[in-house]
Amino acid sequence: MAARQRLGVGIIGAGNISSQYLKAMRTFPVLDIRGIADMRPDVAERKAAEFGVKAASVEALLADSSVEILVNLTIPRAHVAVGLRAIAAGKHVYSEKPIGVNFAEARTLVAAARKKGVRIGSAPDTFLGGSHQQARAVVDSGKLGTIIGGTASFGVPGHEYWHPDPAFYYDVGGGPVLDMGPYYITGLVNLLGPVKAVQAMSLTPAKQRPIRSEPKKGQMMPVKVFTHVTGTLQFASGALVQVSLSFDVPKHTHRPLEIYGTEASMQVPDPNMFGGEVKIARPRAEDWDDVPVRIPYADANYRSLGVADMAYAILNDRPHRCSGDLALHVLEVMEAFETASKSGQIVRIKTKVERPAPMTDSLKRGKIA
Ligand SMILES: NC(=O)c1ccc[n+]([C@@H]2O[C@H](COP(=O)([O-])OP(=O)(O)OC[C@H]3O[C@@H](n4cnc5c(N)ncnc54)[C@H](O)[C@@H]3O)[C@@H](O)[C@H]2O)c1
């Protein structure tokens, strides 16, 4: 009998980000989209019509035996509840980030998947993008020497300037750390390995903020999270990385990620993107040298690459890269920013993960090994 080539995929959550998934999933023949659902059926129907897929109710999608991987694109506070339902229905689950709004609930999700014998995966998958994998190859080549430190910097005036319904970014489960931290911290773990401890200080300058985008322009949103967060990550390797994640920055000129080694420094592009320039410079160099990006998936938005990797991993019985354990480690680190900020104490991280396997040239043949 011929080996199976495709896995059935169902999507729950037909909001903003689902368009990017539905578009990028067309790149990956391994993903056979069986339907999309939302607690607002009209939203699912509109999205299904736009992308030529089937709309279904949440219940029908979960009951559909042809759906093997459930892609959970609901809002952060619903990730665990929806994920648990899908696991109970026997589906592998791939969740948007963060995997849960706190470590305790996310751990139940990862444990439930393990017990049921299904996979749990989570965004972000941008670290699988060609530029981030090229940066990883630079680290692995030893060109930077021993990594001493680095910086991670994200600062915007707030998603209320563009998102049509931004209140969830300021509710429990939102904030710059849970929203953007997954990209930055996962990107750093891919490069440097697991985090050992976190030190942080944070602010909530405004207890409510106005929505600045249509259609809800002018409505006030309560702010229940820190919106300006600074801290230091100590990696198990010993490297120290300064982190700044903020929804209170009108404009800035910092690079998203820089890594400093004993032999050279490296600029790593925006970890929310798959591509971008990678550059290195040795001590006292006049300028930065470009590192040619030769690894695929750097030229577009491939959101769902992590789902495709998980599908190939299931078909080939190998670990998937955007794993629940990686997402859980990153969530523990993100939560530690809050705990450390409130307590003034350094928080030690208990979970340990291995760096996901680097991507290989087999990508060029349209597969992910
Ligand atoms: N918008 C972005 O640019 C972006 C980028 C990357 C990741 N994300 C992540 O993607 C997720 C979704 O973000 P979004 O911007 O698409 O949000 P959204 O509010 O636009 O869409 C979420 C959808 O999920 C549905 N939903 C919520 N709870 C549900 C439930 N219990 N059952 C069924 N449907 C439910 C809502 O009706 C809504 O249509 C979030 O976790 C976010 O962090 C968003």
Side-chain angles (χ1 to χ4, degrees):
M1 202 172 77
R4 289 184 61 208
Q5 304 284 323
R6 312 185 79 195
L7 286 184
V9 173
I11 299 172
I12 298 185
N16 203 279
I17 199 67
S18 64
S19 301
Q20 293 184 19
Y21 273 79
L22 285 159
K23 193 164 164 229
M25 277 178 175
R26 292 174 178 155
T27 321
F28 302 112
V30 71
L31 305 175
D32 177 15
I33 304 171
R34 308 298 303 176
I36 183 163
D38 196 288
M39 66 184 191
R40 298 179 295 170
D42 55 317
V43 170
E45 271 155 31
R46 271 205 303 279
K47 198 63 63 132
E50 188 185 339
F51 286 91
V53 297
K54 213 175 76 183
S57 68
V58 170
E59 292 68 29
L61 202 70
L62 290 175
D64 183 345
S65 61
S66 75
V67 172
E68 292 156 283
I69 300 179
L70 193 283
V71 177
N72 183 359
L73 306 183
T74 60
I75 54 170
R77 265 200 309 171
H79 286 171
V80 168
V82 169
L84 285 173
R85 281 180 73 190
I87 290 168
K91 318 287 187 206
H92 305 289
V93 173
Y94 182 93
S95 176
E96 243 311 325
K97 52 81 198 164
I99 187 169
V101 293
N102 59 57
F103 180 75
E105 69 159 11
R107 197 165 47 180
T108 64
L109 187 66
V110 173
R114 192 158 286 142
K115 192 162 171 216
K116 189 84 177 175
V118 294
R119 306 264 187 144
I120 180 95
S122 175
D125 52 2
T126 41
F127 76 92
L128 303 182
S131 295
H132 298 285
Q133 289 293 315
Q134 200 71 55
R136 163 77 179 262
V138 171
V139 170
D140 291 356
S141 74
K143 266 196 199 112
L144 304 183
T146 304
I147 310 295
I148 306 301
T151 59
S153 180
F154 169 83
V156 293
H159 294 321
E160 62 267 40
Y161 281 87
W162 63 272
H163 196 285
D165 197 9
F168 76 86
Y169 287 114
Y170 297 96
D171 199 353
V172 175
V177 175
L178 281 186
D179 178 44
M180 297 308 289
Y183 300 112
Y184 287 76
I185 297 163
T186 310
L188 286 167
V189 171
N190 173 52
L191 295 173
L192 307 181
V195 175
K196 197 164 101 180
V198 178
Q199 195 181 45
M201 288 190 193
S202 305
L203 280 179
T204 308
K207 300 293 177 225
Q208 45 174 0
R209 300 167 65 127
I211 297 181
R212 296 175 189 272
S213 57
E214 298 295 350
K216 296 188 172 175
K217 196 168 182 169
Q219 281 184 29
M220 296 303 284
M221 303 176 288
V223 181
K224 299 185 184 159
V225 289
F226 288 125
T227 53
H228 184 74
V229 178
T230 65
T232 305
L233 299 179
Q234 181 188 37
F235 285 80
S237 69
L240 298 177
V241 175
Q242 292 157 258
V243 178
S244 167
L245 300 162
S246 179
F247 287 164
D248 294 300
V249 176
K251 203 168 181 64
H252 68 83
T253 49
H254 298 294
R255 304 263 171 203
L257 290 170
E258 290 193 357
I259 303 294
Y260 311 129
T262 49
E263 303 300 317
S265 290
M266 177 169 64
Q267 292 179 13
V268 182
D270 186 343
N272 187 12
M273 305 289 166
F274 290 79
E277 292 178 336
V278 181
K279 292 173 187 267
I280 57 173
R282 293 182 51 81
R284 302 183 67 77
E286 287 275 313
D287 217 336
W288 295 84
D289 292 330
D290 284 320
V291 176
V293 174
R294 299 218 164 84
I295 301 177
Y297 297 112
D299 59 335
N301 182 348
Y302 289 103
R303 265 193 172 82
S304 73
L305 179 52
V307 186
D309 176 64
M310 190 163 105
Y312 282 119
I314 293 165
L315 292 174
N316 297 310
D317 196 22
R318 63 154 172 87
H320 55 288
R321 292 174 170 89
C322 301
S323 70
D325 286 338
L326 175 60
L328 201 57
H329 177 71
V330 169
L331 183 57
E332 188 186 3
V333 172
M334 294 194 294
E335 201 164 272
F337 275 96
E338 186 174 345
T339 321
S341 296
K342 286 181 173 161
S343 69
Q345 307 284 313
I346 291 174
V347 175
R348 314 239 161 248
I349 301 301
K350 297 193 180 74
T351 56
K352 292 188 174 62
V353 280
E354 296 289 320
R355 296 189 308 165
M359 300 284 255
T360 67
D361 284 352
S362 64
L363 273 164
K364 291 178 188 139
R365 297 188 291 273
K367 293 229 168 122
I368 306 171

